Amino acid sequence: MGLFGGRKTVYVDSDVLVIGGGMAGCGATYESRFWGRDLNIVCVEKANIDRSGAVAQGLYAINTYMGMQWDENQPEDHVRYARNDLMGLVREDLGYDIARHVDSTVHKFEEWGLPMMTDPETGRYQREGKWQIMIHGESYKPIVAEAARKAASKVYNRIMVTHLLMDKTKPNRVAGAVGFNVRSGDFYVFRATAVIVCAGGASHIYKPRAVGEGMGRTWYAPWSSASAYALPIQVGAKMMQMENRIVLTRFKDGYGPVGAYFLHLKTYTENAYGNEYESTWYDHTKELVGDYIDRHPVPTCLRNHALLEEIKAGRGPIRMVTTEAFQDPHKETVGWENFLGMTIGQAVVWASQNIDPKHTNPELTTSEPYVMGSHATCSGAWSSGPEDIAPSDYQWGYNRMMTVDGLFGAGDTMGGAAHKFSSGSFAEGRIAAKAAVNYIKDLGKEKPEVNEAEYEGLKKTVFKPLENYEVGRNEIVAGTVSPSYLLPLHGLQRLEKIMDEYVGGISSNYMTNEPLLTRGLELLDMLKEDLDHLGAEDLHQLQRAWELQHRVLASESVTHHTIFRKETRWPGYYYRGDHMKLDDTDWHCFTLSQYDQESGKWELEKAPVHHIID
Ligand SMILES: Cc1cc2nc3c(=O)[nH]c(=O)nc-3n(C[C@H](O)[C@H](O)[C@H](O)COP(=O)(O)OP(=O)(O)OC[C@H]3O[C@@H](n4cnc5c(N)ncnc54)[C@H](O)[C@@H]3O)c2cc1C
């Protein structure tokens, strides 16, 4: 096959096109079949859905389960919890919608063979905390993927989607997507009536704590490359709360989650001198955020804040006190199994650093920031809400439809509904799919049409990094350095450095301000200019090149949102040094952005936060 011509184009027709076969994508694919028995349902995934996405390595707990059958919690309770944790700013309609459907999703997982832990006394699912239930989750993802595989007309693995396609006849209506097979190099044109974006969150937009040979070690999956945001942003879909990136307190170096330790093993933290420190920072935090510090549970960002302040005061490291709990053999087993089934790297790090948590209290640290819509944070696309409960400001069409017709999303893609996690993401995929099928049925025979000129133009754009490399490789001056192209890894490191130093990453203790953010945007602009000169040696590097493009666009969005919100709403996630306090008078609102691809300009606006649960 010639490099610059003759590349095969494969055309795929579908009614529903699901982009990304992670938790939300599997939910969307499964449910599309339930409502659309005779529809053509296609799922496209850049890896292989059997082991793709943030759940790839398995999980030890399902973090969102109401337990309505035993009256443990009601959906309203979950909305109150998420609202409190996000310092007041969540889309309550979306959160409620997930909470009322999530239990039935979990019951399906059990029916499909997921081994659940049960409480020997009550027979109920074993609780880890108020919302979490414990599972033997090593095979969580393959079990969920099997349901999607059986439901889909076809699953296309190993295809990275790079762009959405718009309808030729009706502006602001989606018509499909393009991408390339990361193994064969074939170009794919997917024609679709409705598209559901489920492409996960964004890691590696900020410089991680582990660099060099350890750079793949991040908390969120390193392959979560911001496509979920870039694809809708490119076509002008509105995004919300992109400044609400998350910082996690995790076990040092292995990023092992702390949830099971706090909730189930009842471990606790102390400073380097063995003292409790959170209460020391109470008055100081109250000055910044007022009554939010008195809420229960204390919002995640504020707990980070106390940890960061204690370290800045010179009393770090902060340690998790495991030595007491681990004297109980049952708890010791659970502590280790927690990582062996979910974050095996943490167990390996401890072994390699001579840390036995039975005898040594392991260090905690805060991660670099990530962007996602499914965890204790809710950046993502702005969407229409459920028709029975969403206020009119939040309704313009079908549930989970973005501001582009026919474009839906779920999981990390969607903003506003924090604390959905794996089960909530799958449930949201189902919700979006049901609405997408209704959309298709309402359209009837009227189908969107792709524009040949558009996808042919994109074909050239998509493969250009291969061409840049082929042309420029003879000009290499030393090692991998070329005057003609930028390698994806170098571009990624440049992006991470800009975001880290200017947009509140680890090296500035998450601090930024307007002058820094403004300069950050200038540097991102220069980086964007250079992305035209990305060089890809092979198809693997071509994928890296497009992941970088998506990360850069998402980063630009984060930076614009961070400039726009003139307050520090979530201390512990990031700080605006020029507006250090939370300001409920002016900023108890959502921030929305819209990108214009033609001009490269961003428009920002506020949207009201409606509280529909008391
Ligand atoms: C370390 C860790 C621990 C966690 N612990 C828990 C826990 O204990 N309990 C819990 O309930 N949840 C937990 N979560 C959260 C849970 O994994 C996420 O909430 C959930 O996976 C989000 O679902 P999603 O479908 O939005 O994204 P994902 O499941 O990440 O799926 C996104 C999919 O899109 C694909 N994709 C991305 N870009 C493209 C593209 N351009 N083209 C084609 N395909 C693409 C990806 O390969 C992936 O398969 C944890 C996550 C991590 C990382």
Side-chain angles (χ1 to χ4, degrees), residues 22-24 45-46 52-55 59 61 63 161 199 227 374 412 421-422:
M23 286 307 289
E45 162 62 48
K46 71 175 177 178
S52 70
V55 176
L59 295 180
N63 281 354
V161 173
S227 302
S374 74
D412 279 331
F421 297 101
S422 62

Side-chain angles (χ1 to χ4, degrees), residues 485-515:
Y485 58 69
L486 177 71
L487 292 179
L489 179 62
H490 298 158
L492 181 69
Q493 286 167 341
R494 199 164 131 194
L495 169 69
E496 290 177 345
K497 182 171 156 63
I498 296 168
M499 295 301 286
D500 181 54
E501 293 176 351
Y502 292 91
V503 195
I506 47 174
S507 64
S508 61
N509 261 326
Y510 313 101
M511 180 65 76
T512 186
N513 60 30
E514 187 154 343

Side-chain angles (χ1 to χ4, degrees), residues 279-482:
S279 57
T280 319
W281 298 103
Y282 174 82
D283 291 336
H284 155 88
T285 311
K286 190 148 187 153
E287 273 278 292
L288 297 179
V289 300
D291 292 346
Y292 287 95
I293 185 63
D294 297 320
R295 309 279 171 92
H296 293 285
V298 174
T300 310
C301 63
L302 300 184
R303 300 212 335 259
N304 283 354
H305 176 66
L307 185 146
L308 289 167
E309 290 301 313
E310 188 69 5
I311 291 173
K312 277 196 255 171
R315 292 188 288 270
I318 304 302
R319 295 182 197 279
M320 182 75 96
V321 180
T322 51
T323 46
E324 293 167 13
F326 272 55
Q327 300 312 315
D328 171 347
H330 169 69
K331 288 189 173 175
E332 185 184 13
T333 306
V334 171
W336 280 106
E337 279 184 359
N338 184 250
F339 292 143
L340 293 172
M342 173 173 63
T343 314
I344 197 162
Q346 185 64 58
V348 176
V349 165
W350 280 347
S352 71
Q353 296 182 349
N354 286 351
I355 295 170
D356 179 348
K358 192 173 181 176
H359 306 297
T360 307
N361 293 325
E363 284 177 52
L364 298 177
T365 191
T366 50
S367 72
E368 64 280 3
Y370 307 97
V371 179
M372 72 192 70
S374 74
H375 215 268
T377 172
C378 50
S379 304
W382 179 240
S383 76
S384 191
E387 55 195 21
D388 59 334
I389 45 170
S392 57
D393 286 339
Y394 303 162
Q395 267 193 62
W396 53 87
Y398 298 80
N399 198 356
R400 267 48 175 205
M401 191 169 88
M402 301 183 200
T403 54
V404 170
D405 283 355
L407 184 58
F408 296 78
D412 279 331
T413 306
M414 299 310 263
H419 290 273
K420 41 191 154 182
F421 297 101
S422 62
S423 48
S425 295
F426 190 97
E428 194 175 41
R430 296 178 65 193
I431 292 168
K434 183 177 176 187
V437 170
N438 279 337
Y439 168 83
I440 292 166
K441 288 187 172 160
D442 289 348
L443 276 187
K445 289 197 168 32
E446 192 210 332
K447 298 278 176 214
E449 259 182 78
V450 297
N451 181 341
E452 190 179 343
E454 187 187 8
Y455 68 71
E456 285 299 343
L458 286 172
K459 187 174 178 182
K460 289 202 180 75
T461 307
V462 167
F463 293 107
K464 183 142 184 282
L466 291 175
E467 186 181 327
N468 289 344
Y469 182 85
E470 188 76 5
V471 171
R473 66 180 171 175
N474 295 325
E475 298 171 21
I476 288 174
V477 291
T480 53
V481 179
S482 163

Side-chain angles (χ1 to χ4, degrees), residues 19-26 44-49 51-64 128 132 140-141 159-162 198-201 218-221 223-228 231 250 255 257 342-343 372 374-375 410-413 420-426 547 550:
I19 301 177
M23 286 307 289
C26 286
V44 51
E45 162 62 48
K46 71 175 177 178
N48 183 312
I49 69 165
R51 281 280 174 197
S52 70
V55 176
Q57 60 185 337
L59 295 180
Y60 201 65
I62 286 176
N63 281 354
T64 310
E128 181 182 276
Q132 302 81 355
Y140 190 9
K141 187 66 207 304
I159 293 174
M160 158 115 198
V161 173
T162 56
C198 302
T218 54
W219 167 73
Y220 214 56
W223 47 84
S224 295
S225 54
S227 302
L231 293 171
R250 289 291 178 261
Y255 290 92
M342 173 173 63
T343 314
M372 72 192 70
S374 74
H375 215 268
D412 279 331
T413 306
K420 41 191 154 182
F421 297 101
S422 62
S423 48
S425 295
F426 190 97
E547 289 176 344
H550 290 175

